[in-house]
Amino acid sequence: MKRIFALLAVMALMVAACGTDTTETTEATGGTEATEAPPEGAQAISDACALGATDGDLNLYNWTDYIPTGSLAEDAEVKDLVAGFEDEFGVSVVLTFFNSNEDMLAQIDAGASYDVVVPSDYMVTTMRDADLLVELNRDVIPNFANIAELFSDPGYDAGNLFSAPYQWGTTGIGYLYGSIDDENGVSWGVLFDEDLAAPNAGFISLLDDTRETLGSALKYLGYSLNTLNPDEVDEAAELILSTNEWIAAFNSSSYWTLLTAGEFNVSQGWNGDFLAEYDSISTEDYDAYEDYGYAIPLEGSAAWVDTMAIPTTVAHPCTAHTFINYMLDAENGGELTNFNYYASPNGAAEEFIYEEILEDPSIYPVPETMAILEFFVDLGEFNNYYADAFTRAKG
Ligand code: N2P
């Protein structure tokens, strides 16, 4: 337990700082144009919603396999949180997946209507500043009280006015034991360095993600993953381009199953995706954790907070608020983590989270690991520079 308190202290500093230099960033890059305020309808209806009210079915736009539902929930032996919401509130949930913040943003920008979306920290700032989010009506989300204090005033969205934290995690390397030398820790070089990658050529995957993939390359090169220096971003893009010689794929949507299926030996990815997969293929007679590992590379990496937010394209704002409140329930929050193997920002959920998860340093990292992690921040107009660089990097 002591370790968790030390960890929380480090996290407190990091989450508070996360995104706080955004104003500086946008000023430094010329500032983002203020766009129009959200359509009055969505905000006005949200402000008038009653506690537990619904005004139609829920269109949820979430990352792949990020909420327990159907056979996934059954296999993991956790509550089906989608069916649970449908049963409790008498509405249907339509679930659509996305695989990167940028893909989700492009859809919302183009006017696609969803009731709840799941942007990461920096993307909340981007969307908020572009007036793409409805301000949450906290009167009908009383379960906000369950959120641990250190997640209650994040730098990316002061006071959580536009977002509610969903899960937090890290970016690292999932791998088949024996495929890389991990005796003294793992270097990003197993992905980015020609010699270190050679033994696994053709069996390596990178995330298909502007900030994440460039971010890991930047870390390998010794730079910040929020750098505003174009030369550093160019260098990272060149490095990724060079990996085309030995990587099998850019993949953010199924790398965890492809790893355990033997298609990949070494994959860049998110901690919970790997760990939940290792658990799901384990049986009474077989423990996949003996074959596969997860490492946060020595050069440092990314930590992130994913959130729930309501886009201004919302069609059912009251159902959206009711869903966010449902997900922030202590027991539901616990089940979410028991399924996802990502850490929970919900303090009250802790008593419902399996002990083995709370004690797993790949999920709740020790303070020394936290110290080498960096949160992404919104880069204002410089986001476009990263986007162009990543397009070039993919070749
Ligand atoms: C879901 C992974 C979501 C984590 N498969 C990305 N921040």
Side-chain angles (χ1 to χ4, degrees), residues 207-230:
L207 287 170
D208 188 0
D209 189 298
T210 305
R211 296 297 305 275
E212 290 282 11
T213 314
L214 280 168
S216 296
L218 285 164
K219 280 294 180 192
Y220 174 62
L221 294 168
Y223 305 135
S224 163
L225 47 72
N226 293 307
T227 182
L228 294 173
N229 181 334

Side-chain angles (χ1 to χ4, degrees), residues 63-66 120 256 270 273 304 306 342:
W63 297 79
T64 301
D65 297 351
Y66 209 19
S120 305
W256 52 95
W270 296 300
D273 286 347
W304 40 263
D306 290 338
Y342 287 109

Side-chain angles (χ1 to χ4, degrees), residues 142-156:
N143 285 335
F144 246 107
N146 289 335
I147 296 302
E149 207 186 316
L150 67 99
F151 292 94
S152 63
D153 190 23
Y156 59 81

Side-chain angles (χ1 to χ4, degrees), residues 62-67 97-101 118-121 166-171 207 209 212 252-256 269-274 304-307 340 342 376:
N62 200 350
W63 297 79
T64 301
D65 297 351
Y66 209 19
I67 187 167
F97 293 134
F98 61 84
N99 293 306
S100 76
N101 281 296
V118 184
S120 305
D121 35 47
Y166 184 77
Q167 299 266 262
W168 70 270
T170 59
T171 307
L207 287 170
D209 189 298
E212 290 282 11
S252 304
S253 57
S254 59
Y255 60 85
W256 52 95
W270 296 300
N271 58 333
D273 286 347
F274 292 118
W304 40 263
V305 182
D306 290 338
T307 75
N340 272 332
Y342 287 109
F376 295 106

Side-chain angles (χ1 to χ4, degrees), residues 311-386:
T312 49
T313 60
V314 62
H316 313 112
C318 296
T319 304
H321 279 83
T322 297
F323 178 74
I324 292 175
N325 194 50
Y326 166 88
M327 292 303 291
L328 295 184
D329 167 81
E331 204 168 339
N332 290 342
E335 288 293 72
L336 185 63
T337 281
N338 290 337
F339 171 72
N340 272 332
Y341 286 60
Y342 287 109
S344 181
N346 186 327
E350 207 162 292
E351 62 171 303
F352 299 102
I353 298 174
Y354 302 140
E355 207 55 42
E356 69 193 59
I357 289 184
L358 292 173
E359 283 169 5
D360 188 334
S362 292
I363 303 172
Y364 288 89
V366 296
E368 301 82 74
T369 308
M370 291 304 302
I372 60 164
L373 298 174
E374 190 181 3
F375 279 90
F376 295 106
V377 298
D378 173 52
L379 304 173
E381 289 189 345
F382 202 64
N383 284 326
N384 292 334
Y385 198 89
Y386 274 71

Side-chain angles (χ1 to χ4, degrees), residues 31-343:
T32 24
E33 289 288 315
T35 50
E36 275 166 69
E40 245 183 65
Q43 190 65 61
I45 298 169
S46 297
D47 293 345
C49 291
L51 180 64
T54 52
D55 50 5
D57 292 339
L58 182 84
N59 274 305
L60 174 61
Y61 198 23
N62 200 350
W63 297 79
T64 301
D65 297 351
Y66 209 19
I67 187 167
T69 181
S71 61
L72 289 178
E74 218 170 284
D75 293 347
E77 293 175 28
V78 299
K79 175 175 170 182
D80 183 327
L81 289 175
V82 172
F85 183 73
E86 292 179 327
D87 292 348
E88 194 174 331
F89 295 97
V91 294
S92 298
V93 175
V94 179
L95 188 54
T96 311
F97 293 134
F98 61 84
N99 293 306
S100 76
N101 281 296
E102 288 69 22
D103 285 356
M104 181 270 293
L105 172 65
Q107 290 298 313
I108 300 301
D109 237 346
S113 177
Y114 290 101
D115 298 311
V116 173
V117 294
V118 184
S120 305
D121 35 47
Y122 72 93
M123 186 52 67
V124 174
T125 312
T126 307
M127 295 178 80
R128 179 199 65 190
D129 291 354
D131 289 320
L132 289 172
L133 297 180
V134 169
E135 188 168 343
L136 299 177
N137 174 357
R138 294 282 284 262
D139 292 346
V140 294
I141 315 179
N143 285 335
F144 246 107
N146 289 335
I147 296 302
E149 207 186 316
L150 67 99
F151 292 94
S152 63
D153 190 23
Y156 59 81
D157 175 24
N160 280 325
L161 295 183
F162 294 86
S163 65
Y166 184 77
Q167 299 266 262
W168 70 270
T170 59
T171 307
I173 294 175
Y175 62 102
L176 175 69
Y177 284 133
S179 65
I180 58 174
D181 177 7
D182 59 359
E183 211 174 298
N184 301 305
V186 173
S187 162
W188 283 119
V190 299
L191 307 175
F192 296 124
D193 176 87
E194 186 171 6
D195 294 335
L196 287 178
N200 295 298
F203 292 88
I204 296 175
S205 75
L206 295 180
L207 287 170
D208 188 0
D209 189 298
T210 305
R211 296 297 305 275
E212 290 282 11
T213 314
L214 280 168
S216 296
L218 285 164
K219 280 294 180 192
Y220 174 62
L221 294 168
Y223 305 135
S224 163
L225 47 72
N226 293 307
T227 182
L228 294 173
N229 181 334
D231 295 338
E232 294 178 359
V233 179
D234 289 350
E235 200 181 329
E238 282 296 317
L239 182 64
I240 294 167
L241 185 61
S242 70
T243 68
N244 285 354
E245 299 283 324
W246 57 83
I247 66 168
F250 289 96
N251 180 309
S252 304
S253 57
S254 59
Y255 60 85
W256 52 95
T257 48
L258 293 173
L259 176 73
T260 59
E263 298 265 331
F264 306 145
N265 291 341
V266 194
S267 295
Q268 180 202 15
W270 296 300
N271 58 333
D273 286 347
F274 292 118
L275 302 170
E277 170 67 10
Y278 304 162
D279 190 66
S280 87
I281 62 162
S282 295
T283 61
E284 242 168 73
D285 310 314
Y286 171 62
D287 180 0
Y289 284 85
E290 289 182 4
D291 288 339
Y292 298 95
Y294 172 75
I296 291 171
L298 299 161
E299 296 91 350
S301 190
W304 40 263
V305 182
D306 290 338
T307 75
M308 294 175 281
I310 303 178
T312 49
T313 60
V314 62
H316 313 112
C318 296
T319 304
H321 279 83
T322 297
F323 178 74
I324 292 175
N325 194 50
Y326 166 88
M327 292 303 291
L328 295 184
D329 167 81
E331 204 168 339
N332 290 342
E335 288 293 72
L336 185 63
T337 281
N338 290 337
F339 171 72
N340 272 332
Y341 286 60
Y342 287 109

